[in-house]
Amino acid sequence: MGTEHLSKRLYANRLLPERILREESFQMHHLSRITFAIGSIMLMLLAVLLATFGMSGLVETLLHSWQDGQKAVVHAISYVVISMAVFDVAKYFMEEEVILSRGKQTLGEARTSLTKFITSIIIAVFVEGLVGIFETNKENPVTILYPASLLLVATGIVLALGIYQRLSVTAEREKKQENLTD
């Protein structure tokens, strides 16, 4: 009777740290999801506010001066594109970290998820570069350097994403072959 009681205590003491770690991990997981949800909602609201500012600025400019409308349209496009990119990032966080929060992913799921995220950033950078090109003053050609550099950066991101895709697919194939041979 004494040894049985002692073995139960030892077994319970060994499991106790594992249970505490599981509970702490569970709590941290929920805290993380709540934080991502709050951050995502805030980003979504800010994105809507930014698009609203862009449109209200356009309407205000057009009501006062039709000649300044072209520049206001370009600014409104810039605000709306940036707000869409911010909204897309918030949507990504909401989907991946709050709604579908599921721990470890397969390589294919991780690649798809990262590709969606990076693609929204690439689109925003490309559009911002194009808007900047349209905004540049023809009398001062030096101002085209910033938007042109944005286009180069976006192109670099596309190339980096392509390299990542290629390496990721290769790694996934190797892992599948490795699992087949085991």
Side-chain angles (χ1 to χ4, degrees):
M1 185 77 156
T3 57
E4 184 179 311
H5 178 68
L6 180 61
S7 80
K8 284 183 182 179
R9 276 183 72 196
L10 289 174
Y11 183 72
N13 287 340
R14 194 179 77 216
L15 290 179
L16 186 62
E18 290 177 17
R19 184 181 314 144
I20 291 172
L21 286 175
R22 270 196 310 264
E23 288 174 7
E24 287 177 359
S25 175
F26 180 77
Q27 291 171 351
M28 186 57 75
H29 177 73
H30 284 296
L31 178 62
S32 174
R33 288 178 74 179
I34 290 168
T35 303
F36 271 105
I38 292 169
S40 297
I41 291 168
M42 289 171 59
L43 281 174
M44 288 176 181
L45 292 173
L46 290 171
V48 169
L49 192 60
L50 184 62
T52 303
F53 278 135
M55 292 306 296
S56 68
L58 173 63
V59 169
E60 183 180 326
T61 302
L62 290 175
L63 289 176
H64 292 295
S65 168
W66 196 252
Q67 272 77 24
D68 295 334
Q70 179 184 5
K71 196 169 193 170
V73 167
V74 173
H75 282 289
I77 290 170
S78 181
Y79 282 147
V80 170
V81 168
I82 292 169
S83 71
M84 287 172 52
V86 169
F87 195 89
D88 198 36
V89 167
K91 182 182 83 144
Y92 168 83
F93 284 138
M94 187 66 84
E95 288 173 349
E96 296 295 323
E97 299 296 335
V98 179
I99 298 170
L100 301 175
S101 183
R102 60 177 182 267
K104 295 182 181 179
Q105 298 178 340
T106 66
L107 290 175
E109 289 173 333
R111 184 180 66 250
T112 302
S113 177
L114 184 63
T115 301
K116 284 174 27 180
F117 179 70
I118 296 294
T119 300
S120 65
I121 293 171
I122 289 170
I123 291 168
V125 173
F126 266 126
V127 171
E128 189 61 26
L130 289 172
V131 166
I133 297 267
F134 287 119
E135 283 183 339
T136 57
N137 189 347
K138 293 175 179 84
E139 296 164 4
N140 189 4
V142 175
T143 58
I144 202 165
L145 292 177
Y146 175 72
S149 66
L150 279 177
L151 294 176
L152 288 174
V153 166
T155 302
I157 297 172
V158 169
L159 292 173
L161 181 61
I163 291 168
Y164 167 76
Q165 290 276 359
R166 176 72 176 184
L167 293 174
S168 178
V169 168
T170 303
E172 195 173 344
R173 283 186 192 141
E174 288 175 2
K175 187 171 182 177
K176 282 182 183 177
Q177 287 177 349
E178 188 178 290
N179 287 342
L180 290 175
T181 58
D182 288 344

